[in-house]
Amino acid sequence: MPDLKIAADHLRRDAYLYVRQSTLRQVAENGESTQRQYALRERAIVAGWPIERVHVIDCDLGKSGASAVARDGFQELVSEVALNKAGIVMGLEVSRLARNSADWHRLIELCALTATLILDEDGIYDPSSFNDRLLLGLKGTMSEAELHILRARMRGGQINKARRGELQIGPPVGLVYRPDGILDLDPDIEVQSALRLVFDTFDRLGSATRTVRYFRDEGILFPRRLRKGPGKGELLWAAPQHSRILQVLHNPRYAGAFVYGRTHTRHRPGGGTSQIKTPMDEWQFVMPGHHSGYIDWERFKVNQDKLADNARAYYIQRGSGPAREGPALLQGRVLCGLCGERMGIHYNQEHGRIVPTYICQERAVRRGGTVCQSVPGKVVDPAISALLVELMTPMTLEVSLAVQDELEARLAETDALRRQHIERTRYDAELAQRRYMKVDPDNRLVADALEAEWNQKLRLHADAVEDYEVRRVDEMTALDAEKRRHVLELATQFQRIWNDPRVDMRERKRIVRFLIADVTLVRSDKITANVRLAGGATRTLVLNRPLPIAQIRKFKPELVKEVDDLLNTYCDREIADIFNQRGLLTWEKKPFNLKKIAFIRTAYNLASRHQRLRERGMLTTEEVAARYDITETTVHAWGRQGLITKCYSDSLNRGLWDIPPDRIIAKGCGGRGARPARLVTSNAPLSGQDAI
């Protein structure tokens, strides 16, 4: 008997059957459920719809019904209902159509507006009828609750196994599950060596970026294991990326710990999910020492602190970060003694070199205030350097031996990795050879492919051997007898090496970070630096503030007095030469010149050499000629004869004549064209015509 709810208007429109299974595994194994869903077509035909107008939408097989996102079939069904093309919508049960109340009620609302019927295994419903709509709403709520119960049941079993540490999670590269279910190190020695080198290099360099750079510079490859696809489980070797190294350093499973709850899933508004990392102190289950690892738990926590410290260099509140190239020795180790915030660094040019300044501007940046204080690094850094030299003196011998051991251990690690890589390529080549030798020679299609693979493996092996030999020669020369002697001399030459400008500034900063926890600076009349050492001990340094530039440029009183005394005998250029011969320098650490001496005279109102000679009665050439009524040529002739002396008064060679007091002038007839005057001594007898 036909259902009374089906009207002629419904039959004029098409019937739509929606078929869905939640997973592909259910599609493959639960075939009976799929057949029951397809069987609903018969009910539509019995109700009066021709078979050609019964449309089956089954493109969502293997997709979850928790959301309409990524369900193209459900989106198509909703579109057909909204366009008033559907007379009836069929599904085996409500859960096949949707397990989300929002999607389910949206479909009910559209069916009510377009007078579309809904059919399930229990019967036919008219969404425009209140009773049917109420029943459909209850079924939708129960379907969503059922999904919640199923998830909670699976989640509870997962958490219960995680609580005991028995939950098997896909292991990272370098760790594998044994047949008995115990997580252990990968039996591949090359994989183990590569992972251990990551942790050792990070301990030595203190930066994930520099660890990646070290691997690339040394030509060392890093493994990764395929998770899916036809080659699932195989190892691939490639140059490491920064993200891969960070994943290794952040993964607690390498420390032998079972951890559950490192991430949680968050649903996005537009559909889909995202993985949110959980802070370490909020991890749900943490069991150190659960299985074998490459490092211990304490070392893992130290690495996390170091990575967090490095990461602060990229936040708004810049912290210490990894050691950089700048000349600021205390980068990331300076605290403001007034407000307690971490001080930043500003660089500026001073006499052609970069000079750091430690500045506290947190109050200015965060609260719109003013700069708290600034302390010149050119005063603090040398004092800290001197303190480090003092601290390192008792332990220089141990440092020397540790440096030598570290260099040798580093070379041994890289050499072992390269030899293991050669062994792997040799094995691959031999395996390819065995495969080629077993093939039927007449089957040329297979034989040619296997031969090409064998040749490729041989080339890879040859390249690995060649690279190993080249790098081995370089490394063997790196620690020859001469360099070993230099390493041992570190015990007595630490101060010279520390102050050597060729030493990378990042290495100095790394030494500072090993020895100094932080430095608190307070600037008042003097600069106070409270140094807290890594072991907890403290040192207090009181430093003089740098002089103002005006006072620095001011010449010392004793220098001004010496210039004043020398001006009685020498001109400006001669005084500059005297100072340079003595090795004296200006405030700019430059030699003296004529302009500097002239500046001192002008600034301190000193009489010039010319003025002093004039005060002693010396005359110019014009004045001598006018006084004695002679020509200037005669004056110079007397000078060449040595009768009078010419004294040079300044850099322009402007001379003044010194006429000795025992000289008198004998005049001629009085005119410039007459007989010239003669210069005679006061004790020479004069004739009557020459006497005045």
Side-chain angles (χ1 to χ4, degrees):
M1 181 178 178
D3 197 302
L4 297 179
K5 295 180 181 178
I6 301 176
D9 181 62
H10 298 133
L11 295 174
R12 281 195 295 269
R13 290 177 281 171
D14 295 344
Y16 289 85
L17 172 61
Y18 182 77
V19 179
R20 185 186 65 82
Q21 289 283 74
S22 297
T23 63
L24 293 176
R25 182 175 180 180
Q26 291 180 358
V27 175
E29 298 180 359
N30 300 342
E32 197 65 32
S33 175
T34 307
Q35 292 180 10
R36 290 174 59 201
Q37 295 186 60
Y38 281 114
L40 290 178
R41 286 179 298 185
E42 301 299 330
R43 295 187 57 178
I45 295 173
V46 171
W49 275 276
I51 189 171
E52 65 272 8
R53 291 174 53 199
V54 178
H55 306 284
V56 178
I57 300 176
D58 55 2
C59 58
D60 287 346
L61 283 171
K63 296 182 180 179
S64 173
S67 173
V69 178
R71 283 203 292 158
D72 296 334
F74 184 78
Q75 300 289 352
E76 179 186 354
L77 176 64
V78 172
S79 299
E80 297 298 323
V81 173
L83 294 173
N84 202 17
K85 293 182 179 180
I88 189 171
V89 173
M90 297 179 291
L92 183 63
E93 55 190 29
V94 171
S95 62
R96 297 303 95 198
L97 290 167
R99 284 192 180 272
N100 181 283
S101 292
D103 298 334
W104 175 239
H105 284 281
R106 188 177 299 113
L107 178 61
I108 295 176
E109 185 71 24
L110 288 174
C111 289
L113 292 174
T114 58
T116 303
L117 302 178
I118 296 178
L119 180 147
D120 66 5
E121 193 176 30
D122 297 329
I124 299 177
Y125 309 92
D126 183 3
S128 60
S129 172
F130 173 76
N131 291 331
D132 288 356
R133 188 166 181 170
L134 177 61
L135 183 56
L136 289 173
L138 290 174
K139 284 192 171 187
T141 303
M142 292 176 61
S143 176
E144 186 175 24
E146 181 185 9
L147 178 62
H148 172 74
I149 293 172
L150 292 174
R151 285 180 173 174
R153 187 179 301 161
M154 292 187 293
R155 175 77 171 169
Q158 189 179 54
I159 292 178
N160 196 40
K161 294 188 70 174
R163 185 178 289 109
R164 300 194 306 268
E166 299 176 0
L167 181 64
Q168 288 196 0
I169 307 173
V173 63
L175 295 173
V176 294
Y177 279 106
R178 297 190 321 215
D180 57 359
I182 301 299
L183 193 62
D184 202 353
L185 303 185
D186 194 310
D188 193 322
I189 300 300
E190 186 180 6
V191 175
Q192 293 186 23
S193 301
L195 284 164
R196 288 194 172 95
L197 184 61
V198 169
F199 293 108
D200 293 341
T201 306
F202 180 74
D203 288 343
R204 183 173 68 251
L205 301 179
S207 168
T209 301
R210 297 190 67 189
T211 301
V212 175
R213 193 174 302 158
Y214 175 78
F215 268 71
R216 290 182 175 270
D217 293 343
E218 296 295 329
I220 300 174
L221 304 180
F222 192 78
R224 67 182 180 92
R225 195 176 297 278
L226 296 179
R227 297 288 186 181
K228 54 186 178 179
K232 181 179 180 181
E234 293 183 1
L235 277 175
L236 295 181
W237 293 81
Q241 301 293 329
H242 184 256
S243 58
R244 291 285 296 121
I245 298 300
L246 282 179
Q247 288 174 2
V248 172
L249 295 172
H250 281 300
N251 198 330
R253 307 187 77 181
Y254 289 113
F258 174 83
V259 174
Y260 182 81
R262 292 176 59 204
T263 61
H264 66 273
T265 304
R266 177 177 296 174
H267 294 276
R268 295 194 293 264
T273 59
S274 59
Q275 295 292 326
I276 307 299
K277 292 183 178 180
T278 304
M280 185 174 174
D281 55 353
E282 297 179 9
W283 290 350
Q284 196 166 357
F285 302 116
V286 180
M287 301 178 186
H290 182 266
H291 56 264
S292 300
Y294 290 89
I295 58 175
D296 55 29
W297 183 248
E298 295 301 324
R299 187 175 171 188
F300 171 77
K301 293 195 294 185
V302 171
N303 288 347
Q304 301 315 297
D305 293 339
K306 191 179 298 183
L307 288 169
D309 190 38
N310 293 349
R312 293 194 189 99
Y314 302 98
Y315 295 161
I316 297 176
Q317 182 179 359
R318 295 177 65 89
S320 58
R324 300 295 186 185
E325 298 81 0
L329 184 64
L330 299 177
Q331 171 211 328
R333 286 292 184 271
V334 185
L335 301 177
C336 178
L338 302 182
C339 66
E341 297 289 348
R342 191 175 296 274
M343 300 181 72
I345 303 172
H346 281 184
Y347 291 106
N348 49 46
Q349 290 280 347
E350 186 175 300
H351 309 309
R353 62 190 183 97
I354 300 177
V355 178
T357 299
Y358 301 109
I359 181 170
C360 177
Q361 53 185 1
E362 289 299 316
R363 186 167 57 187
V365 173
R366 305 293 181 189
R367 296 180 288 275
T370 58
V371 172
C372 190
Q373 66 170 348
S374 61
V375 180
K378 64 181 180 181
V379 176
V380 178
D381 286 358
I384 298 298
S385 296
L387 177 62
L388 288 179
V389 172
E390 176 187 348
L391 294 175
M392 290 293 289
T393 302
M395 59 176 70
T396 48
L397 182 58
E398 290 80 2
V399 171
S400 302
L401 297 177
V403 169
Q404 185 176 5
D405 293 342
E406 182 180 355
L407 292 176
E408 294 176 349
R410 191 185 310 172
L411 294 180
E413 289 176 356
T414 56
D415 184 73
L417 272 173
R418 294 194 186 99
R419 284 189 282 106
Q420 291 166 2
H421 183 62
I422 291 175
E423 181 64 23
R424 177 179 293 278
T425 57
R426 183 194 62 78
Y427 171 78
D428 292 341
E430 292 178 352
L431 180 61
Q433 179 187 10
R434 290 195 297 269
R435 295 177 60 189
Y436 173 73
M437 298 301 292
K438 291 179 181 180
V439 73
D440 185 359
D442 295 332
N443 190 354
R444 296 310 307 167
L445 295 177
V446 178
D448 291 345
L450 293 178
E451 184 180 11
E453 181 185 2
W454 182 20
N455 291 331
Q456 180 186 8
K457 299 296 183 183
L458 287 175
R459 284 193 296 270
L460 292 176
H461 177 66
D463 294 342
V465 172
E466 182 181 0
D467 181 70
Y468 173 77
E469 294 298 334
V470 172
R471 293 183 181 273
R472 182 173 176 79
V473 171
D474 295 340
E475 291 173 355
M476 291 302 295
T477 58
L479 278 180
D480 56 11
E482 181 66 18
K483 291 184 177 175
R484 287 178 182 271
R485 184 178 63 81
H486 287 319
V487 171
L488 292 175
E489 288 178 355
L490 178 63
T492 56
Q493 299 180 0
F494 176 78
Q495 183 175 1
R496 181 182 62 81
I497 295 175
W498 174 264
N499 296 322
D500 193 331
R502 294 172 296 178
V503 176
D504 190 1
M505 196 63 197
R506 289 177 296 188
E507 299 302 325
R508 291 195 181 96
K509 294 180 183 181
R510 291 191 64 230
I511 295 176
V512 169
R513 295 181 179 202
F514 280 122
L515 298 178
I516 296 178
D518 54 58
V519 178
T520 304
L521 299 179
V522 178
R523 191 189 72 172
S524 55
D525 295 338
K526 293 183 177 293
I527 297 174
T528 303
N530 297 307
V531 183
R532 185 165 64 91
L533 304 177
T538 59
R539 296 287 186 92
T540 300
L541 305 177
V542 180
L543 311 172
N544 292 323
R545 293 178 57 178
L547 297 174
I549 186 64
Q551 190 170 352
I552 294 176
R553 296 181 62 176
K554 187 176 181 180
F555 291 95
K556 296 180 180 180
E558 53 269 22
L559 180 66
V560 177
K561 183 179 184 306
E562 188 169 4
V563 171
D564 190 16
D565 295 339
L566 291 174
L567 283 172
N568 294 325
T569 310
Y570 304 100
C571 65
D572 294 352
R573 188 185 301 278
E574 293 171 335
I575 295 175
D577 294 339
I578 292 173
F579 283 174
N580 292 333
Q581 291 174 3
R582 296 181 186 176
L584 299 179
L585 299 175
T586 65
W587 67 274
E588 297 174 303
K589 305 302 179 183
K590 295 180 180 179
F592 282 89
N593 54 30
L594 183 146
K595 292 183 178 180
K596 292 295 182 183
I597 302 300
F599 174 79
I600 295 175
R601 284 194 299 99
T602 305
Y604 294 93
N605 297 321
L606 302 180
S608 66
R609 168 73 170 159
H610 185 83
Q611 293 173 338
R612 298 175 188 233
L613 292 178
R614 296 284 288 172
E615 291 174 357
R616 287 163 51 182
M618 294 188 182
L619 305 175
T620 64
T621 301
E622 295 82 359
E623 291 174 342
V624 173
R627 174 175 293 186
Y628 298 107
D629 195 20
I630 59 176
T631 63
E632 295 182 6
T633 303
T634 303
V635 175
H636 289 292
W638 288 353
R640 287 191 297 271
Q641 295 172 10
L643 299 177
I644 58 178
T645 304
K646 188 175 185 180
C647 298
Y648 293 98
S649 61
D650 54 25
S651 59
L652 300 179
N653 292 332
R654 294 181 299 178
L656 295 176
W657 294 101
D658 182 16
I659 301 177
D662 59 346
R663 305 284 182 178
I664 60 174
I665 299 298
K667 293 185 178 180
C669 299
R672 287 188 177 271
R675 182 169 56 90
R678 291 185 298 110
L679 183 66
V680 298
T681 59
S682 58
N683 54 4
L686 296 177
S687 60
Q689 62 181 3
D690 291 331
I692 298 177

